[in-house]
Protein backbone atom coordinates (compact mmCIF):
# COMPACT_ATOMS: atom_id res chain seq x y z
CA UNK A 1 0.00 0.00 0.00
CA UNK A 2 1.18 3.53 -0.66
CA UNK A 3 1.31 6.87 1.06
CA UNK A 4 -1.80 8.95 0.58
CA UNK A 5 -1.66 11.41 -2.31
CA UNK A 6 1.75 10.15 -3.35
CA UNK A 7 2.60 8.12 -6.41
CA UNK A 8 4.00 4.71 -5.40
CA UNK A 9 7.71 4.20 -5.91
CA UNK A 10 8.46 2.88 -9.36
CA UNK A 11 5.09 4.04 -10.74
CA UNK A 12 4.24 7.27 -12.53
CA UNK A 13 1.67 9.71 -11.19
CA UNK A 14 -1.46 9.80 -13.39
CA UNK A 15 -2.57 13.08 -14.83
CA UNK A 16 -6.11 11.93 -15.65
CA UNK A 17 -7.37 11.03 -12.19
CA UNK A 18 -6.86 8.58 -9.36
CA UNK A 19 -6.33 5.48 -11.47
CA UNK A 20 -3.92 4.46 -14.24
CA UNK A 21 -5.29 4.67 -17.79
CA UNK A 22 -6.93 1.56 -19.23
CA UNK A 23 -5.14 -0.18 -22.09
CA UNK A 24 -6.55 0.14 -25.58
CA UNK A 25 -7.64 -3.48 -26.15
CA UNK A 26 -9.98 -4.42 -23.31
CA UNK A 27 -12.33 -7.14 -22.09
CA UNK A 28 -13.77 -8.62 -18.91
CA UNK A 29 -11.41 -11.36 -17.84
CA UNK A 30 -12.03 -13.96 -15.17
CA UNK A 31 -8.85 -15.77 -16.13
CA UNK A 32 -7.00 -16.62 -12.94
CA UNK A 33 -3.93 -17.98 -14.65
CA UNK A 34 -2.30 -14.64 -13.88
CA UNK A 35 -2.86 -12.73 -10.68
CA UNK A 36 -3.62 -9.55 -12.57
CA UNK A 37 -6.22 -11.03 -14.89
CA UNK A 38 -9.11 -11.41 -12.50
CA UNK A 39 -12.38 -9.76 -13.51
CA UNK A 40 -10.38 -7.00 -15.17
CA UNK A 41 -12.44 -4.74 -17.37
CA UNK A 42 -11.54 -3.46 -20.79
CA UNK A 43 -13.74 -2.22 -23.61
CA UNK A 44 -13.27 -2.09 -27.39
CA UNK A 45 -14.88 1.35 -27.59
CA UNK A 46 -14.86 4.25 -25.11
CA UNK A 47 -18.65 4.24 -24.68
CA UNK A 48 -19.42 0.54 -24.97
CA UNK A 49 -18.81 -2.33 -22.57
CA UNK A 50 -18.72 -5.92 -23.80
CA UNK A 51 -21.22 -8.56 -22.69
CA UNK A 52 -20.14 -11.83 -21.22
CA UNK A 53 -19.32 -14.87 -23.26
CA UNK A 54 -18.04 -17.85 -21.36
CA UNK A 55 -15.43 -19.78 -23.31
CA UNK A 56 -14.86 -23.18 -21.69
CA UNK A 57 -12.17 -25.50 -23.02
CA UNK A 58 -12.98 -26.81 -26.48
CA UNK A 59 -14.70 -30.15 -26.49
CA UNK A 60 -14.01 -32.84 -29.07
CA UNK A 61 -17.42 -34.36 -28.52
CA UNK A 62 -20.59 -33.47 -30.40
CA UNK A 63 -22.79 -34.55 -27.51
CA UNK A 64 -25.27 -31.77 -26.66
CA UNK A 65 -25.40 -30.27 -23.16
CA UNK A 66 -27.12 -32.64 -20.72
CA UNK A 67 -30.64 -32.22 -19.40
CA UNK A 68 -32.27 -29.42 -21.36
CA UNK A 69 -35.98 -30.00 -20.75
CA UNK A 70 -38.66 -27.99 -22.45
CA UNK A 71 -39.75 -24.98 -20.42
CA UNK A 72 -43.51 -25.09 -20.14
CA UNK A 73 -45.34 -22.03 -18.91
CA UNK A 74 -48.99 -22.93 -18.61
CA UNK A 75 -49.10 -24.01 -15.00
CA UNK A 76 -51.10 -22.43 -12.18
CA UNK A 77 -49.78 -21.52 -8.77
CA UNK A 78 -49.09 -24.60 -6.72
CA UNK A 79 -48.26 -25.38 -3.11
CA UNK A 80 -46.21 -28.42 -2.19
CA UNK A 81 -44.76 -29.69 1.08
CA UNK A 82 -41.62 -27.78 1.86
CA UNK A 83 -38.99 -30.38 2.65
CA UNK A 84 -35.82 -29.54 0.72
CA UNK A 85 -32.61 -31.32 1.53
CA UNK A 86 -30.52 -28.71 3.22
CA UNK A 87 -27.49 -27.37 1.41
CA UNK A 88 -24.47 -26.43 3.52
CA UNK A 89 -22.61 -23.21 2.93
CA UNK A 90 -20.10 -23.62 0.16
CA UNK A 91 -16.53 -23.94 1.36
CA UNK A 92 -13.67 -22.87 -0.83
CA UNK A 93 -11.80 -26.02 -1.68
CA UNK A 94 -8.05 -26.14 -1.74
CA UNK A 95 -6.66 -26.00 -5.23
CA UNK A 96 -3.43 -27.59 -6.36
CA UNK A 97 -1.88 -24.46 -7.80
CA UNK A 98 -2.89 -20.94 -6.76
CA UNK A 99 -2.53 -19.46 -10.21
CA UNK A 100 -4.48 -21.99 -12.23
CA UNK A 101 -8.15 -21.35 -12.73
CA UNK A 102 -10.97 -20.63 -15.06
CA UNK A 103 -11.32 -19.81 -18.75
CA UNK A 104 -11.85 -16.26 -20.03
CA UNK A 105 -15.07 -14.30 -20.43
CA UNK A 106 -15.19 -12.16 -23.53
CA UNK A 107 -17.75 -10.32 -25.60
CA UNK A 108 -20.16 -11.64 -28.24
CA UNK A 109 -22.79 -9.60 -30.00
CA UNK A 110 -26.01 -9.35 -28.01
CA UNK A 111 -29.10 -11.33 -29.01
CA UNK A 112 -30.91 -9.63 -31.91
CA UNK A 113 -34.08 -8.89 -29.99
CA UNK A 114 -32.21 -6.85 -27.38
CA UNK A 115 -30.78 -4.61 -30.10
CA UNK A 116 -34.37 -3.75 -31.05
CA UNK A 117 -35.34 -2.44 -27.62
CA UNK A 118 -36.43 1.14 -28.13
CA UNK A 119 -38.79 2.92 -25.76
CA UNK A 120 -41.02 5.83 -26.59
CA UNK A 121 -39.39 8.24 -24.16
CA UNK A 122 -37.40 11.12 -25.59
CA UNK A 123 -34.49 9.95 -23.46
CA UNK A 124 -31.74 7.67 -24.69
CA UNK A 125 -33.80 4.59 -25.34
CA UNK A 126 -31.29 1.80 -24.94
CA UNK A 127 -28.04 2.60 -23.22
CA UNK A 128 -24.76 1.14 -24.32
CA UNK A 129 -24.92 -0.85 -21.09
CA UNK A 130 -28.17 -2.48 -22.23
CA UNK A 131 -26.81 -3.32 -25.64
CA UNK A 132 -23.50 -4.52 -24.31
CA UNK A 133 -24.59 -6.42 -21.21
CA UNK A 134 -27.02 -8.79 -22.81
CA UNK A 135 -27.34 -12.38 -21.69
CA UNK A 136 -24.98 -14.96 -23.17
CA UNK A 137 -25.50 -16.06 -26.75
CA UNK A 138 -27.57 -19.24 -27.06
CA UNK A 139 -28.85 -21.43 -29.80
CA UNK A 140 -32.51 -20.51 -30.10
CA UNK A 141 -34.94 -23.10 -28.70
CA UNK A 142 -38.36 -21.40 -28.48
CA UNK A 143 -40.67 -22.82 -25.82
CA UNK A 144 -44.28 -22.87 -26.90
CA UNK A 145 -45.85 -20.67 -29.60
CA UNK A 146 -43.63 -18.15 -31.30
CA UNK A 147 -43.88 -14.62 -29.97
CA UNK A 148 -44.88 -12.01 -32.57
CA UNK A 149 -41.96 -9.94 -33.85
CA UNK A 150 -43.53 -6.83 -32.34
CA UNK A 151 -42.96 -8.23 -28.84
CA UNK A 152 -39.21 -8.25 -29.38
CA UNK A 153 -39.27 -4.55 -28.50
CA UNK A 154 -40.00 -3.03 -25.11
CA UNK A 155 -42.39 -0.65 -26.87
CA UNK A 156 -44.77 -3.56 -27.33
CA UNK A 157 -45.23 -3.77 -23.57
CA UNK A 158 -45.60 0.00 -23.08
CA UNK A 159 -48.67 1.10 -25.02
CA UNK A 160 -50.54 2.48 -22.00
CA UNK A 161 -49.68 5.47 -19.81
CA UNK A 162 -48.56 3.49 -16.75
CA UNK A 163 -46.28 1.26 -18.81
CA UNK A 164 -44.75 4.25 -20.60
CA UNK A 165 -44.04 5.88 -17.25
CA UNK A 166 -42.27 2.71 -16.13
CA UNK A 167 -40.10 2.72 -19.26
CA UNK A 168 -39.27 6.38 -18.79
CA UNK A 169 -38.18 5.78 -15.20
CA UNK A 170 -36.16 2.72 -16.19
CA UNK A 171 -34.33 4.48 -18.99
CA UNK A 172 -33.43 7.45 -16.83
CA UNK A 173 -32.27 5.42 -13.83
CA UNK A 174 -30.68 2.25 -15.20
CA UNK A 175 -26.94 1.84 -14.73
CA UNK A 176 -24.93 3.19 -17.65
CA UNK A 177 -21.72 1.85 -19.12
CA UNK A 178 -19.79 4.78 -17.67
CA UNK A 179 -21.08 3.90 -14.18
CA UNK A 180 -19.93 0.31 -14.49
CA UNK A 181 -16.56 1.27 -15.94
CA UNK A 182 -15.99 3.62 -13.02
CA UNK A 183 -16.68 0.82 -10.52
CA UNK A 184 -14.53 -1.61 -12.43
CA UNK A 185 -11.63 0.83 -12.63
CA UNK A 186 -11.62 1.07 -8.83
CA UNK A 187 -11.98 -2.71 -8.45
CA UNK A 188 -9.04 -3.38 -10.75
CA UNK A 189 -6.78 -0.99 -8.86
CA UNK A 190 -7.92 -2.38 -5.50
CA UNK A 191 -7.14 -5.91 -6.58
CA UNK A 192 -3.65 -4.92 -7.63
CA UNK A 193 -3.03 -3.25 -4.26
CA UNK A 194 -4.64 -6.07 -2.23
CA UNK A 195 -2.43 -8.62 -3.96
CA UNK A 196 0.51 -6.88 -2.35
CA UNK A 197 -0.80 -8.42 0.89
CA UNK A 198 -2.69 -11.54 -0.30
CA UNK A 199 -0.85 -12.59 -3.43
CA UNK A 200 -3.43 -15.03 -4.83
CA UNK A 201 -6.57 -13.14 -3.76
CA UNK A 202 -9.13 -12.35 -6.44
CA UNK A 203 -11.61 -9.49 -6.22
CA UNK A 204 -15.03 -9.84 -7.87
CA UNK A 205 -17.57 -7.13 -8.59
CA UNK A 206 -20.95 -8.66 -7.72
CA UNK A 207 -24.54 -7.70 -6.97
CA UNK A 208 -26.71 -5.27 -8.91
CA UNK A 209 -23.71 -3.63 -10.57
CA UNK A 210 -23.09 -6.87 -12.46
CA UNK A 211 -26.45 -8.65 -12.67
CA UNK A 212 -28.18 -6.05 -14.86
CA UNK A 213 -30.49 -4.77 -12.13
CA UNK A 214 -28.50 -1.76 -10.99
CA UNK A 215 -29.35 1.93 -11.03
CA UNK A 216 -27.04 4.86 -11.70
CA UNK A 217 -26.95 5.44 -7.96
CA UNK A 218 -26.30 1.80 -7.03
CA UNK A 219 -23.38 1.16 -4.73
CA UNK A 220 -20.92 -1.61 -5.59
CA UNK A 221 -20.52 -4.99 -3.90
CA UNK A 222 -17.12 -6.68 -3.89
CA UNK A 223 -16.21 -10.24 -2.93
CA UNK A 224 -12.58 -10.99 -2.12
CA UNK A 225 -11.93 -14.68 -2.71
CA UNK A 226 -8.98 -16.11 -0.81
CA UNK A 227 -8.44 -19.82 -1.41
CA UNK A 228 -6.21 -22.04 0.63
CA UNK A 229 -5.98 -24.93 3.03
CA UNK A 230 -7.12 -22.77 5.95
CA UNK A 231 -10.32 -20.74 5.86
CA UNK A 232 -9.44 -17.10 6.61
CA UNK A 233 -11.15 -15.21 9.42
CA UNK A 234 -13.18 -12.44 7.69
CA UNK A 235 -12.88 -9.94 10.56
CA UNK A 236 -9.13 -10.38 10.75
CA UNK A 237 -8.69 -9.98 6.98
CA UNK A 238 -11.00 -6.95 6.80
CA UNK A 239 -9.26 -5.30 9.75
CA UNK A 240 -5.93 -5.78 8.02
CA UNK A 241 -7.33 -4.29 4.80
CA UNK A 242 -8.88 -1.36 6.67
CA UNK A 243 -5.47 -0.40 8.02
CA UNK A 244 -3.86 -0.86 4.60
CA UNK A 245 -6.54 1.18 2.79
CA UNK A 246 -5.55 4.27 4.78
CA UNK A 247 -2.51 4.61 2.55
CA UNK A 248 -4.50 4.49 -0.70
CA UNK A 249 -5.00 7.82 -2.45
CA UNK A 250 -8.32 6.79 -4.03
CA UNK A 251 -10.09 5.36 -0.94
CA UNK A 252 -11.68 7.16 2.00
CA UNK A 253 -14.14 6.68 4.87
CA UNK A 254 -13.38 3.04 5.62
CA UNK A 255 -15.74 1.41 8.09
CA UNK A 256 -15.67 -2.19 9.36
CA UNK A 257 -19.21 -3.51 9.85
CA UNK A 258 -19.42 -6.66 11.99
CA UNK A 259 -22.64 -8.07 10.54
CA UNK A 260 -23.56 -11.72 9.94
CA UNK A 261 -21.53 -11.31 6.77
CA UNK A 262 -18.84 -8.81 7.86
CA UNK A 263 -18.04 -6.09 5.34
CA UNK A 264 -15.55 -3.31 4.88
CA UNK A 265 -17.42 -0.24 3.64
CA UNK A 266 -15.54 2.59 1.94
CA UNK A 267 -15.89 5.30 -0.67
CA UNK A 268 -14.03 6.32 -3.74
CA UNK A 269 -12.21 9.50 -2.74
CA UNK A 270 -13.96 12.68 -3.77
CA UNK A 271 -17.23 11.00 -4.81
CA UNK A 272 -20.32 9.35 -3.35
CA UNK A 273 -19.56 5.94 -4.90
CA UNK A 274 -19.65 3.46 -2.02
CA UNK A 275 -18.27 -0.08 -1.92
CA UNK A 276 -19.06 -3.01 0.39
CA UNK A 277 -16.29 -5.61 0.45
CA UNK A 278 -16.78 -9.09 1.95
CA UNK A 279 -14.48 -12.09 2.30
CA UNK A 280 -15.31 -15.42 0.62
CA UNK A 281 -19.10 -14.85 0.60
CA UNK A 282 -19.14 -16.68 -2.71
CA UNK A 283 -22.91 -17.20 -2.74
CA UNK A 284 -23.01 -13.57 -3.90
CA UNK A 285 -21.09 -14.55 -7.04
CA UNK A 286 -23.51 -17.41 -7.69
CA UNK A 287 -26.48 -15.10 -7.15
CA UNK A 288 -25.03 -12.53 -9.51
CA UNK A 289 -25.08 -14.94 -12.44
CA UNK A 290 -28.43 -16.51 -11.51
CA UNK A 291 -30.16 -13.12 -11.25
CA UNK A 292 -28.41 -11.95 -14.39
CA UNK A 293 -29.90 -14.93 -16.24
CA UNK A 294 -33.36 -13.99 -15.00
CA UNK A 295 -32.83 -10.29 -15.70
CA UNK A 296 -32.23 -10.90 -19.40
CA UNK A 297 -34.73 -13.76 -19.86
CA UNK A 298 -37.50 -11.29 -20.78
CA UNK A 299 -37.41 -7.61 -21.75
CA UNK A 300 -39.85 -6.69 -18.99
CA UNK A 301 -37.81 -8.00 -16.06
CA UNK A 302 -35.32 -5.17 -15.61
CA UNK A 303 -37.82 -2.28 -15.88
CA UNK A 304 -40.23 -4.11 -13.58
CA UNK A 305 -37.62 -4.68 -10.87
CA UNK A 306 -36.18 -1.18 -11.06
CA UNK A 307 -39.60 0.47 -10.70
CA UNK A 308 -40.56 -1.78 -7.77
CA UNK A 309 -37.28 -1.07 -5.96
CA UNK A 310 -37.83 2.68 -6.42
CA UNK A 311 -41.41 2.35 -5.15
CA UNK A 312 -40.30 0.35 -2.11
CA UNK A 313 -37.54 2.83 -1.30
CA UNK A 314 -39.97 5.75 -1.59
CA UNK A 315 -42.44 3.87 0.62
CA UNK A 316 -39.70 3.30 3.21
CA UNK A 317 -39.95 -0.50 3.12
CA UNK A 318 -36.60 -1.14 1.38
CA UNK A 319 -33.99 -1.01 4.13
CA UNK A 320 -32.97 -4.23 5.89
CA UNK A 321 -30.92 -2.25 8.42
CA UNK A 322 -34.18 -0.70 9.62
CA UNK A 323 -36.15 -3.94 9.74
CA UNK A 324 -37.77 -3.86 6.32
CA UNK A 325 -37.02 -5.57 2.98
CA UNK A 326 -33.58 -5.78 1.41
CA UNK A 327 -33.27 -5.13 -2.32
CA UNK A 328 -32.31 -8.78 -2.81
CA UNK A 329 -35.52 -9.88 -1.06
CA UNK A 330 -37.57 -7.55 -3.28
CA UNK A 331 -35.96 -8.97 -6.43
CA UNK A 332 -36.81 -12.53 -5.35
CA UNK A 333 -40.38 -11.44 -4.59
CA UNK A 334 -40.74 -10.01 -8.10
CA UNK A 335 -39.27 -13.12 -9.74
CA UNK A 336 -41.55 -15.35 -7.67
CA UNK A 337 -44.64 -13.42 -8.76
CA UNK A 338 -43.63 -13.62 -12.42
CA UNK A 339 -42.99 -17.37 -12.08
CA UNK A 340 -46.38 -18.16 -10.54
CA UNK A 341 -48.77 -16.47 -12.97
CA UNK A 342 -51.19 -18.69 -14.88
CA UNK A 343 -49.02 -17.97 -17.91
CA UNK A 344 -45.60 -17.52 -16.27
CA UNK A 345 -43.28 -14.81 -17.48
CA UNK A 346 -40.33 -16.79 -16.07
CA UNK A 347 -39.49 -20.44 -15.34
CA UNK A 348 -37.35 -21.79 -12.51
CA UNK A 349 -33.87 -21.95 -13.98
CA UNK A 350 -32.53 -23.95 -11.04
CA UNK A 351 -35.28 -26.54 -11.26
CA UNK A 352 -35.24 -26.92 -15.04
CA UNK A 353 -31.44 -26.67 -15.43
CA UNK A 354 -29.95 -27.88 -12.12
CA UNK A 355 -26.55 -28.65 -13.62
CA UNK A 356 -26.18 -25.05 -14.79
CA UNK A 357 -26.82 -23.47 -11.39
CA UNK A 358 -25.61 -26.13 -8.98
CA UNK A 359 -24.35 -24.77 -5.63
CA UNK A 360 -21.54 -27.32 -5.79
CA UNK A 361 -20.00 -25.93 -8.99
CA UNK A 362 -16.52 -24.51 -8.42
CA UNK A 363 -16.76 -20.74 -8.07
CA UNK A 364 -14.42 -20.19 -11.02
CA UNK A 365 -16.84 -22.11 -13.27
CA UNK A 366 -20.06 -20.37 -12.20
CA UNK A 367 -20.22 -18.06 -15.27
CA UNK A 368 -20.24 -21.07 -17.61
CA UNK A 369 -23.63 -22.37 -16.47
CA UNK A 370 -25.98 -19.80 -18.08
CA UNK A 371 -24.60 -20.53 -21.56
CA UNK A 372 -26.23 -23.95 -21.51
CA UNK A 373 -29.73 -22.59 -20.87
CA UNK A 374 -31.85 -22.03 -24.00
CA UNK A 375 -33.99 -18.89 -24.24
CA UNK A 376 -37.40 -18.91 -22.63
CA UNK A 377 -40.33 -17.61 -24.63
CA UNK A 378 -43.37 -16.82 -22.50
CA UNK A 379 -46.94 -16.86 -23.76
CA UNK A 380 -47.68 -14.10 -21.27
CA UNK A 381 -47.73 -10.78 -23.16
CA UNK A 382 -49.02 -8.57 -20.34
CA UNK A 383 -47.89 -4.96 -20.38
CA UNK A 384 -45.49 -3.60 -17.81
CA UNK A 385 -48.33 -1.72 -16.14
CA UNK A 386 -50.49 -4.82 -15.90
CA UNK A 387 -47.64 -6.75 -14.32
CA UNK A 388 -46.97 -3.99 -11.78
CA UNK A 389 -50.63 -3.85 -10.70
CA UNK A 390 -50.65 -7.65 -10.55
CA UNK A 391 -47.54 -7.71 -8.38
CA UNK A 392 -49.12 -5.35 -5.85
CA UNK A 393 -52.39 -7.29 -5.93
CA UNK A 394 -50.63 -10.62 -5.36
CA UNK A 395 -48.87 -9.52 -2.19
CA UNK A 396 -51.79 -7.39 -0.99
CA UNK A 397 -54.56 -9.97 -1.41
CA UNK A 398 -53.37 -13.42 -2.50
CA UNK A 399 -50.09 -14.40 -0.89
CA UNK A 400 -50.44 -16.00 2.56
CA UNK A 401 -47.64 -14.46 4.60
CA UNK A 402 -48.38 -16.64 7.63
CA UNK A 403 -48.45 -19.94 5.76
CA UNK A 404 -46.20 -19.68 2.70
CA UNK A 405 -42.53 -19.53 1.77
CA UNK A 406 -41.48 -17.70 -1.41
CA UNK A 407 -39.24 -19.99 -3.47
CA UNK A 408 -37.71 -18.83 -6.75
CA UNK A 409 -35.77 -22.10 -6.79
CA UNK A 410 -39.03 -24.06 -7.05
CA UNK A 411 -41.05 -21.35 -8.85
CA UNK A 412 -43.90 -21.69 -6.37
CA UNK A 413 -45.10 -20.78 -2.91
CA UNK A 414 -44.22 -23.54 -0.46
CA UNK A 415 -46.02 -24.26 2.80
CA UNK A 416 -44.14 -23.33 5.94
CA UNK A 417 -42.75 -26.17 8.03
CA UNK A 418 -41.79 -26.20 11.68
CA UNK A 419 -38.12 -25.77 10.89
CA UNK A 420 -36.21 -23.09 12.76
CA UNK A 421 -35.69 -21.18 9.52
CA UNK A 422 -39.39 -20.40 9.08
CA UNK A 423 -40.93 -20.61 12.55
CA UNK A 424 -42.12 -17.28 13.99
CA UNK A 425 -40.93 -15.37 10.93
CA UNK A 426 -43.22 -12.70 9.50
CA UNK A 427 -41.89 -12.97 5.94
CA UNK A 428 -40.23 -16.07 4.49
CA UNK A 429 -38.21 -15.75 1.29
CA UNK A 430 -35.91 -18.64 0.44
CA UNK A 431 -32.34 -17.90 -0.63
CA UNK A 432 -31.98 -19.87 -3.90
CA UNK A 433 -28.64 -21.49 -3.03
CA UNK A 434 -28.29 -21.57 0.76
CA UNK A 435 -32.05 -21.97 1.35
CA UNK A 436 -32.17 -19.76 4.40
CA UNK A 437 -34.53 -16.83 4.96
CA UNK A 438 -33.30 -13.63 3.28
CA UNK A 439 -36.22 -11.68 4.79
CA UNK A 440 -35.13 -12.35 8.38
CA UNK A 441 -34.50 -8.62 8.88
CA UNK A 442 -38.27 -8.17 9.19
CA UNK A 443 -38.52 -9.28 12.82
CA UNK A 444 -40.91 -6.69 14.26
CA UNK A 445 -44.67 -6.94 13.79
CA UNK A 446 -44.98 -3.18 13.39
CA UNK A 447 -42.57 -3.21 10.44
CA UNK A 448 -44.33 -6.21 8.94
CA UNK A 449 -47.70 -4.48 9.22
CA UNK A 450 -46.21 -1.39 7.55
CA UNK A 451 -44.98 -3.46 4.61
CA UNK A 452 -48.36 -5.13 4.15
CA UNK A 453 -50.14 -1.78 4.41
CA UNK A 454 -47.94 -0.26 1.70
CA UNK A 455 -48.73 -3.11 -0.69
CA UNK A 456 -52.45 -2.83 0.02
CA UNK A 457 -52.63 0.96 -0.26
CA UNK A 458 -50.51 1.16 -3.41
CA UNK A 459 -52.59 -1.56 -5.04
CA UNK A 460 -55.83 0.23 -4.14
CA UNK A 461 -54.57 3.49 -5.64
CA UNK A 462 -52.83 2.15 -8.75
CA UNK A 463 -55.59 -0.20 -9.90
CA UNK A 464 -57.94 2.79 -10.16
CA UNK A 465 -55.66 5.60 -11.36
CA UNK A 466 -53.21 3.65 -13.57
CA UNK A 467 -50.72 6.48 -13.03
CA UNK A 468 -47.28 5.74 -11.59
CA UNK A 469 -47.15 9.23 -10.08
CA UNK A 470 -49.99 8.25 -7.78
CA UNK A 471 -47.65 5.96 -5.81
CA UNK A 472 -44.21 7.29 -6.77
CA UNK A 473 -43.04 10.83 -7.69
CA UNK A 474 -41.45 9.86 -11.00
CA UNK A 475 -39.86 13.20 -11.90
CA UNK A 476 -38.40 13.67 -8.40
CA UNK A 477 -36.92 10.16 -8.46
CA UNK A 478 -35.37 10.78 -11.88
CA UNK A 479 -33.91 14.11 -10.78
CA UNK A 480 -32.47 12.56 -7.62
CA UNK A 481 -30.93 9.72 -9.61
CA UNK A 482 -29.36 12.14 -12.06
CA UNK A 483 -27.84 14.19 -9.26
CA UNK A 484 -26.11 11.19 -7.68
CA UNK A 485 -23.71 10.54 -10.53
Amino acid sequence: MYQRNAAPRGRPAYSNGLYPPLPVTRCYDYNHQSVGGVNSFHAPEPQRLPPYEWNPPRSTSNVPPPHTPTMTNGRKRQNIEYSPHMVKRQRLDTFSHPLLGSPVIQAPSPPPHLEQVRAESSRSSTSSYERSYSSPQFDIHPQGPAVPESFNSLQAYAKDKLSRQMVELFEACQQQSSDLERKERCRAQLQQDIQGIYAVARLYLTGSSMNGLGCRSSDADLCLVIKGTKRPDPIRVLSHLQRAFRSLSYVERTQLIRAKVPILRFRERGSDLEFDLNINNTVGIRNTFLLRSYAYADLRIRPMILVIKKWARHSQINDASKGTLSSYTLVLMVLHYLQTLKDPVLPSLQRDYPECFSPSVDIDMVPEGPKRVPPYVSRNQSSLGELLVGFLRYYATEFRWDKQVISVREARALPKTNSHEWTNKYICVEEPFERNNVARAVHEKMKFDTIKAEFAESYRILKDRKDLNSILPVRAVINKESSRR
Side-chain angles (χ1 to χ4, degrees):
M1 299 298 177
Y2 313 111
Q3 292 300 315
R4 187 169 295 176
N5 297 326
R9 183 175 300 176
R11 295 189 194 176
Y14 303 111
S15 60
N16 61 340
L18 297 172
Y19 312 114
L22 292 173
V24 175
T25 304
R26 301 173 288 186
C27 65
Y28 258 111
D29 183 2
Y30 271 84
N31 185 358
H32 304 153
Q33 294 178 353
S34 63
V35 294
V38 186
N39 197 24
S40 59
F41 170 73
H42 309 294
E45 301 171 15
Q47 299 301 322
R48 178 163 178 156
L49 305 186
Y52 284 109
E53 181 182 85
W54 186 244
N55 295 319
R58 292 184 178 275
S59 171
T60 58
S61 170
N62 292 324
V63 178
H67 188 66
T68 54
T70 299
M71 295 188 189
T72 58
N73 63 357
R75 61 187 183 281
K76 296 184 179 180
R77 291 190 175 96
Q78 302 178 48
N79 291 333
I80 63 168
E81 281 301 318
Y82 180 75
S83 57
H85 57 279
M86 296 306 296
V87 177
K88 294 183 179 179
R89 288 179 177 270
Q90 294 301 307
R91 294 198 54 154
L92 292 170
D93 297 329
T94 306
F95 55 144
S96 57
H97 192 288
L99 301 183
L100 297 181
S102 60
V104 179
I105 300 175
Q106 291 182 336
S109 300
H113 71 276
L114 287 181
E115 287 286 6
Q116 300 175 18
V117 176
R118 297 291 185 273
E120 296 175 6
S121 168
S122 60
R123 298 181 177 273
S124 172
S125 59
T126 306
S127 68
S128 57
Y129 172 82
E130 164 80 9
R131 293 192 300 272
S132 302
Y133 275 78
S134 58
S135 56
Q137 287 282 43
F138 304 115
D139 294 329
I140 301 299
H141 301 291
Q143 311 300 325
V147 176
E149 185 66 23
S150 61
F151 284 96
N152 286 335
S153 168
L154 194 54
Q155 294 181 45
Y157 303 104
K159 295 187 181 301
D160 57 275
K161 177 182 177 179
L162 175 57
S163 300
R164 288 194 297 271
Q165 290 172 322
M166 293 175 69
V167 170
E168 179 186 11
L169 184 62
F170 169 67
E171 290 187 329
C173 296
Q174 66 172 321
Q175 180 176 253
Q176 303 295 314
S177 59
S178 58
D179 304 322
L180 182 57
E181 181 170 349
R182 179 183 174 192
K183 295 172 183 178
E184 173 52 31
R185 195 185 297 267
C186 188
R187 186 217 60 82
Q189 187 63 52
L190 270 174
Q191 178 175 263
Q192 182 175 337
D193 290 328
I194 289 172
Q195 285 173 344
I197 303 173
Y198 301 99
V200 296
R202 304 192 301 278
L203 190 61
Y204 292 83
L205 187 59
T206 63
S208 63
S209 296
M210 292 296 286
N211 63 24
L213 301 175
C215 302
R216 299 214 68 192
S217 59
S218 295
D219 297 328
D221 296 316
L222 296 169
C223 178
L224 184 66
V225 176
I226 304 175
K227 289 187 177 183
T229 56
K230 185 177 180 181
R231 191 175 182 87
D233 175 39
I235 293 293
R236 183 177 180 181
V237 173
L238 292 175
S239 297
H240 192 181
L241 292 178
Q242 184 179 28
R243 291 191 296 272
F245 281 12
R246 291 170 186 159
S247 67
L248 296 179
S249 63
Y250 57 93
V251 170
E252 64 180 3
R253 301 188 188 182
T254 60
Q255 178 187 8
L256 179 58
I257 299 176
R258 300 171 183 265
K260 182 176 182 180
V261 176
I263 61 172
L264 181 61
R265 179 166 293 167
F266 56 92
R267 284 193 178 189
E268 179 187 49
R269 181 171 297 279
S271 79
D272 59 359
L273 177 56
E274 193 168 75
F275 290 84
D276 286 344
L277 188 155
N278 69 72
I279 306 298
N280 285 348
N281 186 37
T282 54
V283 69
I285 300 174
R286 300 183 191 280
N287 289 335
T288 295
F289 283 92
L290 176 65
L291 295 188
R292 180 182 175 82
S293 299
Y294 280 120
Y296 289 97
D298 187 282
L299 293 175
R300 294 165 288 182
I301 307 304
R302 295 173 63 225
M304 179 89 170
I305 288 175
L306 186 146
V307 169
I308 287 170
K309 288 200 294 187
K310 291 297 184 186
W311 162 78
R313 176 65 65 170
H314 174 70
S315 302
Q316 299 183 355
I317 59 171
N318 177 209
D319 190 343
S321 69
K322 296 181 179 178
T324 57
L325 302 168
S326 68
S327 293
Y328 182 40
T329 299
L330 278 167
V331 170
L332 294 178
M333 290 173 66
V334 176
L335 297 180
H336 165 74
Y337 162 70
L338 296 174
Q339 288 174 325
T340 55
L341 293 166
K342 181 178 180 180
D343 284 326
V345 174
L346 292 171
S348 165
L349 295 178
Q350 288 172 285
R351 182 194 60 202
D352 295 345
Y353 300 92
E355 73 285 352
C356 298
F357 300 97
S358 170
S360 63
V361 171
D362 185 87
I363 201 65
D364 293 337
M365 301 302 293
V366 166
E368 183 182 358
K371 184 178 180 181
R372 301 163 67 183
V373 180
Y376 180 75
V377 179
S378 174
R379 289 192 292 266
N380 186 317
Q381 299 304 321
S382 298
S383 70
L384 282 166
E386 290 169 337
L387 292 176
L388 177 59
V389 173
F391 169 80
L392 295 173
R393 178 180 63 246
Y394 178 58
Y395 288 108
T397 67
E398 298 177 27
F399 185 77
R400 298 291 303 276
W401 301 97
D402 59 334
K403 297 183 181 299
Q404 294 179 319
V405 175
I406 291 170
S407 176
V408 169
R409 178 180 58 87
E410 289 288 341
R412 64 192 74 196
L414 306 174
K416 283 187 182 180
T417 63
N418 293 324
S419 72
H420 174 73
E421 200 63 60
W422 314 120
T423 302
N424 299 323
K425 303 298 191 299
Y426 292 110
I427 300 178
C428 295
V429 181
E430 181 194 62
E431 206 289 320
F433 291 100
E434 297 188 334
R435 305 189 190 181
N436 53 14
N437 185 15
V438 300
R440 58 185 174 271
V442 185
H443 56 83
E444 297 179 11
K445 187 176 187 304
M446 183 177 68
K447 296 294 178 66
F448 173 55
D449 290 341
T450 298
I451 292 169
K452 289 195 301 180
E454 287 296 335
F455 273 97
E457 180 66 6
S458 293
Y459 169 58
R460 182 188 67 78
I461 294 172
L462 197 61
K463 73 174 181 178
D464 293 331
R465 300 186 186 179
K466 301 296 193 300
D467 182 346
L468 190 57
N469 283 296
S470 64
I471 63 169
L472 178 67
V474 175
R475 184 51 50 191
V477 171
I478 290 175
N479 291 340
K480 183 178 180 180
E481 190 79 30
S482 300
S483 67
R484 284 290 304 275
R485 294 289 182 258

